[in-house]
Structures are given as structure tokens and as C-alpha cells.
Amino acid sequence: MSDGTSGSPSASTAAHEGAMAMPTTAPGAFNDADVAYAQGMIAHCTQLVEMSGLAPDRASNQEVKDLASRAMTDEEAEIAAARGWLRHWNRPESAAEGGMGGMDMGGDDGSDMKMAGSMSEADLEKLKTAEGVAFDRAFLKAMIEHRNGEIEMTRGVLGDGRNATVKQQAVMMAAMQEDEVQSLTRLLAKL
């Protein structure tokens, strides 16, 4: 396992374990920014799980396959945490379900994700048809965009959120994502 300094595509073992250890309850005061962050995490992470699920059959680079496997595990843990927070707060999993302001997750017809770092449906379809090195490059570029989008999301909740647990997790997530963007960029440069 990596300590995060070797330049591996994973942010680090600590990042991997950090995501796995995310609390599924967030006691204490919360506000709409905390709710929007949790709802946004679910949508954002769900797309990354879908993207990562393509890698075993489409990627040619073993590091990309390994990265996708770790990403699926980490993102599923993040989804579970966000769902737990929302259940704890008695709030819906998406802004659309509850009529809350939250994050804009759809276009005028509801068909296209608009959150920072999320792939459009058209780009996701292109990724689904790519293979080999073309897939590896497209996947890594999409991962970098996703991670940068997650960093942007954490900044929003850190500035506007109220829940201490969510803010603590956001600080940890931002640091992990920044490390991973550097690792992903190095891996992309090698392809």
C-alpha cells in the first residue's frame, strides 16, 4: 500500500481509509448548504461509480484499472455517508425530491448534469465506447475534472455549511482530492 508520496494514482492509503471511515450520521445543527452538499455528493459520486465500472473491460493500463477499483469503493462509502447524513436530518437524497434549492443537477429537460466536474451525458456515452489507451486518457481526464468539482463542492460547504461533522469531512475530502489530482495528472502524463 502507498503512503501517498510515491506518485501512485491513488491519493494515498490514508485517503482510501479516510473515505471508508466517513461517519454516516452528522449530529448537531445543519443548514441548507449542508443538505445541498450531501445531495450533491450522492449525484457526483454516483456518476464516478458508473465511470469506474467501465474500466475493467475498457482500460488497458493496470494502474487505471486499479484506480477505478479503489474509486468505486471510496465513492460508494461517500454515498453511504451522505445518505446517512440526510436520513439523520430527515431530508431527501436529492433536491428534486424535496423541492429544496440545493445544487443544480439538471438541464431544462433534466437530462444533463451541470454540477462542476460532472460529465455530460454525451461525454459519458463517448467514454462508454472508448477502449484501450483512448479510454485510459479519457477516464483520467474525467477523473481530474470530477476531483476538481469535488474540491469546489467542499469549498462551498466550508464557507456556507453549519454542521461540524460535514465540515470536518469536507476538509479531509478537499485535501485527499487535491493529492489525487496531482497523482492523476502524473499518471495521465505517462500515457
Side-chain angles (χ1 to χ4, degrees):
M1 300 212 130
S2 169
D3 65 1
T5 61
S6 67
S8 72
S10 172
S12 70
T13 299
H16 179 69
E17 291 170 356
M20 297 302 295
M22 289 182 72
T24 57
T25 61
F30 67 94
N31 62 17
D32 287 347
D34 298 310
V35 172
Y37 176 70
Q39 291 170 336
M41 277 183 58
I42 292 169
H44 204 71
C45 294
T46 298
Q47 188 182 65
L48 192 50
V49 167
E50 181 180 1
M51 289 168 42
S52 296
L54 301 172
D57 295 330
R58 301 207 165 279
S60 63
N61 182 289
Q62 189 60 46
E63 288 180 275
V64 171
K65 290 179 181 186
D66 293 345
L67 166 70
S69 176
R70 285 188 301 271
M72 285 185 73
T73 300
D74 291 348
E75 299 304 306
E76 288 168 352
E78 291 172 32
I79 291 167
R83 284 181 171 151
W85 300 342
L86 292 166
R87 273 192 305 274
H88 184 81
W89 300 330
N90 197 28
R91 295 297 186 263
E93 286 190 16
S94 75
E97 289 177 45
M100 296 180 66
M103 304 183 100
D104 181 7
M105 293 304 298
D108 294 337
D109 63 354
S111 65
D112 206 8
M113 306 243 333
K114 294 219 174 210
M115 185 186 320
S118 294
M119 294 182 81
S120 68
E121 285 299 319
D123 287 341
L124 187 56
E125 288 304 314
K126 286 179 189 173
L127 185 64
K128 288 178 180 179
T129 62
E131 292 186 28
V133 175
F135 175 88
D136 297 341
R137 287 184 180 131
F139 179 78
L140 290 172
K141 288 176 184 177
M143 283 283 293
I144 290 167
E145 289 299 315
H146 252 270
R147 294 307 188 208
N148 283 327
E150 290 172 2
I151 292 166
E152 186 177 317
M153 286 173 54
T154 61
R155 288 183 183 136
V157 78
L158 288 173
D160 299 328
R162 185 171 181 198
N163 186 272
T165 299
V166 171
K167 289 180 119 178
Q168 179 182 24
Q169 293 304 306
V171 167
M172 179 188 74
M173 294 303 297
M176 290 184 329
Q177 304 312 350
E178 287 169 1
D179 288 347
E180 189 166 32
V181 166
Q182 292 175 12
S183 296
L184 292 166
T185 302
R186 284 191 298 269
L187 180 56
L188 180 60
K190 291 186 337 185
L191 297 180

